[in-house]
């Protein structure tokens, strides 16, 4: 394998890992702060991809479609949290699993009713449709570089909000001691609504920007959900830093596994998870 191939596969792995971080960060936020196991997280990814395809067909441009779709994703997150999740905060995890699994079935049925079961593609905006020369013999799609940079920027923004702002302090406080935060006069229910809506929007947004990279099809969130849980387990439950590092490890491992050991590509990520848990049973940053 020459240097050009190594560079391409590494860039693909980083791009995949950064995209996984958007999905896993929402999952780890919801679990780490609200202690909710949300199996419907992958369905929100699918909803984001379908919204990007549908609205792009209506308005003619992906980015305009995303501007319209993100508020819809936030509103959907608010509705789910207000009318369903609030009843689960003091229930056991089995109840959470049953309800959120039921949501998967509901979203799958609604997707079929609203958009059908055909496979769709989303056009990349013209100014991002080309390739950039990395070396004399190596070109790389501009849109993939754009997705990587955008995901990295969102990751940095999340870190600054959670670690350097008053809102981030309240969110971290609510994760540690809900009763104390309420005793200080802060409405923790609003914080939980904000966190769930943000997690849902992050996941749906990941589906929107990933839509041009892959087809939009029924059930596309199921495999993403499994990989997102692997990322969260590797990184450590509730840790954004762990989700970031875990997503990069999973992205690079999955990409290089498909190249080096294609016959075992489906299991290399789970071997990585087992290896991490063998030495760090609570994940890298529990």
């Amino acid at each position: 394998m020459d240097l050009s191939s190594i560079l391409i596969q590494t860039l693909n792995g980083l791009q995949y890992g950064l995209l996984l971080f958007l999905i896993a960060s929402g999952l780890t936020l919801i679990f780490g702060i609200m202690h909710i196991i949300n199996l419907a997280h992958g369905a929100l990814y699918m909803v984001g991809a379908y919204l990007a395809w549908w609205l792009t067909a209506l308005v003619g441009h992906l980015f305009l479609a995303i501007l319209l779709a993100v508020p819809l994703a936030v509103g959907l997150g608010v509705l789910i949290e207000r009318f369903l999740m609030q009843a689960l905060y003091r229930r056991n995890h089995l109840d959470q699993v049953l309800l959120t699994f039921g949501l998967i079935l509901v979203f799958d049925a609604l997707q079929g009713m609203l958009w059908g079961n055909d496979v769709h593609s989303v056009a990349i905006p013209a100014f991002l449709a080309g390739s950039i020369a990395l070396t004399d013999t190596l070109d790389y799609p501009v849109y993939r570089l754009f997705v990587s940079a955008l995901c990295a920027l969102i990751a940095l923004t999340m870190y600054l909000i959670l670690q350097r702002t008053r809102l981030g302090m309240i969110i971290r406080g609510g994760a540690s001691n809900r009763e104390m935060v309420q005793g200080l006069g802060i409405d923790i229910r609003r914080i939980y609504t904000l966190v769930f809506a943000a997690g849902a929007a992050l996941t749906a947004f990941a589906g929107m920007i990933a839509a041009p990279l892959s087809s939009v099809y029924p059930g596309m969130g199921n495999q993403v959900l499994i990989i997102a849980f692997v990322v969260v387990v590797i990184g450590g439950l509730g840790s954004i830093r762990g989700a970031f590092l875990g997503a990069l490890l999973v992205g690079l491992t999955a990409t290089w596994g498909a190249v080096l050991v294609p016959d075992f590509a489906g299991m290399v990520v789970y071997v990585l998870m087992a290896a991490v848990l063998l030495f760090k049973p609570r994940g890298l940053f529990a």
Side-chain angles (χ1 to χ4, degrees):
M1 182 177 293
D2 59 16
L3 181 61
S4 297
S5 299
I6 293 174
L7 183 56
I8 282 181
Q9 296 304 328
T10 301
L11 288 173
N12 286 339
L14 290 174
Q15 180 262 307
Y16 180 44
L18 288 167
L19 189 65
L20 280 178
F21 168 73
L22 284 191
I23 305 167
S25 61
L27 191 63
T28 200
L29 268 178
I30 291 169
F31 183 84
I33 294 170
M34 303 163 65
H35 308 296
I36 293 287
I37 299 177
N38 182 20
L39 293 186
H41 206 69
L44 294 171
Y45 174 86
M46 179 187 70
V47 168
Y50 268 97
L51 284 175
W53 162 74
W54 178 56
L55 291 173
T56 299
L58 289 178
V59 301
H61 197 283
L62 174 63
F63 291 159
L64 180 56
I66 290 176
L67 288 176
L68 297 173
V70 168
L72 294 177
V74 172
L76 179 61
V78 170
L79 290 175
I80 293 174
E81 195 278 336
R82 286 287 177 90
F83 293 103
L84 295 176
M85 296 303 169
Q86 285 190 5
L88 296 178
Y89 291 149
R90 300 190 181 278
R91 305 285 291 271
N92 59 46
H93 289 321
L94 178 59
D95 293 339
Q96 299 168 7
V97 167
L98 291 174
L99 177 61
T100 54
F101 179 76
L103 280 177
I104 295 176
L105 303 180
V106 170
F107 280 124
D108 285 345
L110 288 175
Q111 168 266 310
M113 293 169 57
L114 294 174
W115 296 302
N117 294 316
D118 294 332
V119 178
H120 305 282
S121 61
V122 178
I124 296 174
F127 71 98
L128 294 174
S131 298
I132 186 172
L134 299 180
T135 67
D136 293 338
T137 59
L138 173 63
D139 291 338
Y140 196 76
V142 174
Y143 186 74
R144 285 185 176 271
L145 293 174
F146 170 78
V147 169
S148 297
L150 183 59
C151 292
L153 179 61
I154 292 174
L156 177 61
T157 302
M158 287 181 62
Y159 171 80
L160 293 176
I161 290 174
L162 289 173
Q163 300 295 329
R164 303 295 177 86
T165 67
R166 183 174 184 273
L167 175 60
M169 179 178 63
I170 293 172
I171 291 173
R172 289 184 284 116
S176 301
N177 194 324
R178 171 177 175 161
E179 289 74 18
M180 181 62 73
V181 172
Q182 287 179 311
L184 292 172
I186 297 170
D187 188 350
I188 195 66
R189 291 176 300 178
R190 290 186 178 180
I191 300 300
Y192 279 8
T193 300
L194 173 65
V195 168
F196 192 91
L202 282 171
T203 304
F205 180 75
M208 295 171 200
I209 61 175
L213 299 175
S214 61
S215 299
V216 179
Y217 56 91
M220 62 184 295
N222 296 337
Q223 184 63 32
V224 167
L225 174 67
I226 297 172
I227 296 298
F229 269 113
V230 170
V231 169
V232 171
V233 169
I234 289 175
L237 299 178
S239 172
I240 296 296
R241 178 176 56 169
F244 183 78
L245 180 58
L248 292 182
L249 287 174
V250 168
L252 289 169
T253 300
T255 301
W256 278 106
V259 174
L260 299 177
V261 285
D263 292 339
F264 302 97
M267 61 180 291
V268 290
V269 169
Y270 305 101
V271 172
L272 170 66
M273 180 177 69
V276 170
L277 295 182
L278 184 64
F279 298 99
K280 288 276 192 176
R282 298 180 61 197
L284 296 175
F285 299 99

